Amino acid sequence: MSHDLKLFFAYTACTRVTLTALEQVGAPYDAQLVLFEKGEHKSPDYLAVNPAGKVPCLLVDGEPLTENGAILRWLHAEYPDGGLFPAASSNWQRAQQLSVLFWISASWHPYVRAVKMPMAWTTGDIAPVRERGGELISGVLDRLDEELATRRWWFGDEWSIVDTYFWWAYINSEFGGFDLSPWKHIARHRADNEALPQLQRALAKEQAAWDARKEELG
Amino acid sequence: MTDMKLYHLPGACSRVTLTALEQCGADYTDEIVLLMRGAQHSPQYRAINPKGKIPCLIVDGQALAENAAILSFLNMEYPAAALFPQPGDALEAARQTADLFALSASFHPSVRAMMMPVRWTTGNPEEVREKGRQLVHPLLQQLETRLATQPWWYGGEWSIIDSYAHWNYTTAQKGQFDLSPYPNIAQHQKRVEAHPAYQRALAREQAAVDAIGGLPDVA
Ligand SMILES: N[C@@H](CCC(=O)N[C@@H](CS)C(=O)NCC(=O)O)C(=O)O
Ligand SMILES: N[C@@H](CCC(=O)N[C@@H](CS)C(=O)NCC(=O)O)C(=O)O
């Protein structure tokens, strides 16, 4: 049950969600900042750990596990009382929990990328990619806002890690210059997320790691 | 489980879902959603799946969206169908889940850049297609390496991941990706297409097309 855990993460990346999950379950873990700005994610050392050259990557007793959604599910399986997901009593409920993770990972995240890092989707002009990204993000924000009109958190009265995954996705579209103000329930959801101690601890950890190395970037 | 229905379109990523249902020997009905006519955005379909995407599986009147979530659900419900190899421990199970995330969140969106570049831009689709080619290449390179020493993704046995990977690379090919530099993938393609569940899924797609008197031409 007790594992040796080490997370590779990047500054402001989707690893904020993974860090929040680790903080939430209270597992002891090491965390190592990967400086994208220095190309560390494409270095031979890191590619030996994760050939995809992406974060997050969690080392479990030295064995790599990639993909945010898979790491969150693994942590939930190891720490079932950790509060990452509501208790599920059927395969159907488990599948619905997976469905929302796949939705965020396969739709939201690539859409956010189009807004925040449009060069990830084109070799040419970025403005039209950002414009399309804005349309795609609007569509999923509408969906989320509609759901949040009926309840505080995605699954109901209780926070789950899915809420922080949504939070990461929409605030990153804002970093990409996208205006979130039309979505009122999302504004409320955002404030609720930002008040969470587990999220605050994750952000503090990320910031401390960044501060310790940022002068290397000159 | 009593009543199941799949919303799909022949050739779309729902082919993987159909293959899984066939592998499970599940009893289900199905209905085509004419994406080329925008039927995914119709009020009728939005009432079924508000995300406006296929595949969507209805079980006893309730909807489950996301291909990979449906595959996971079927794997839990039909363990004997061996959609995935039996994992040895929790970490191995999580790695199977990670493979589904990689296919759904990295492969599929990159393939979309090749097959439907306008989905990523309001401007010049060729610049997106070129980027798609750059994104798909390393993914296929890794698959090519994996298949150098084993016939299937996980080794000696077929899994639904093989079908999912196959859908991704054949769709990239339809989007003008050249598969000829990947001989192991070419062999894999033949094996996947000879698999009985894949054959039955194609037959099921054809029956659905026949039932509506053929597919409309792409606009
Ligand atoms: N599907 C992956 C996506 C991971 C991903 O794209 N991570 C970004 C940071 S948010 C990254 O590592 N980008 C660097 C790169 O792709 O070069 C997951 O959910 O873990
Ligand atoms: N992440 C979703 C993606 C589904 C998806 O993009 N499906 C396509 C067909 S391959 C679709 O419904 N496209 C119609 C549209 O986006 O309007 C999944 O894996 O189920």
Side-chain angles (χ1 to χ4, degrees), chain A residues 138-194:
Chain A
S138 292
V140 291
L141 287 169
D142 283 347
R143 283 289 309 125
L144 178 62
D145 203 67
E146 240 171 84
E147 297 290 334
L148 293 176
T150 68
R151 54 191 187 270
R152 182 160 181 219
W153 302 107
W154 177 260
F155 286 114
D157 296 337
E158 302 284 341
W159 170 87
S160 74
I161 194 65
V162 158
D163 291 291
T164 296
Y165 207 170
F166 280 123
W167 169 85
W168 174 80
Y170 57 67
I171 65 148
N172 269 273
S173 21
E174 192 179 72
F175 294 160
F178 187 83
D179 177 17
L180 292 176
S181 63
W183 290 276
K184 301 297 173 216
H185 303 287
I186 289 177
R188 191 267 304 151
H189 184 255
R190 173 186 189 155
D192 285 352
N193 263 287
E194 289 171 2

Side-chain angles (χ1 to χ4, degrees), chain A residues 18-27 81-84 159 161 198 201:
Chain A
T18 340
L19 281 167
T20 302
L22 284 160
E23 290 295 328
Q24 167 70 20
V25 300
D81 302 323
L84 292 181
W159 170 87
I161 194 65
Q198 63 274 37
R201 287 197 302 274

Side-chain angles (χ1 to χ4, degrees), chain A residues 35-149:
Chain A
L35 278 180
F36 283 6
E37 296 74 7
K38 289 182 81 176
E40 285 180 356
H41 56 314
K42 307 294 173 193
S43 69
D45 282 356
Y46 188 68
L47 291 175
V49 176
N50 179 10
K54 291 183 196 276
V55 294
C57 177
L58 182 71
L59 291 184
V60 179
D61 303 322
E63 297 289 322
L65 177 62
T66 57
E67 292 294 329
N68 221 342
I71 297 171
L72 302 178
R73 292 305 285 179
W74 181 82
L75 283 171
H76 177 57
E78 291 294 314
Y79 300 89
D81 302 323
L84 292 181
F85 293 88
S89 58
S90 64
N91 290 339
W92 184 254
Q93 285 173 7
R94 282 182 274 275
Q96 292 293 353
Q97 293 178 3
L98 282 168
S99 180
V100 58
L101 285 175
F102 283 113
W103 186 39
I104 303 173
S105 167
S107 290
W108 287 74
H109 192 164
Y111 299 172
V112 168
R113 205 177 283 140
V115 170
K116 196 190 166 200
M117 306 223 303
M119 57 294 222
W121 290 125
T122 186
T123 58
D125 215 1
I126 58 171
V129 173
R130 182 166 273 147
E131 181 179 42
R132 180 69 87 215
E135 293 168 15
L136 292 165
I137 272 290
S138 292
V140 291
L141 287 169
D142 283 347
R143 283 289 309 125
L144 178 62
D145 203 67
E146 240 171 84
E147 297 290 334
L148 293 176

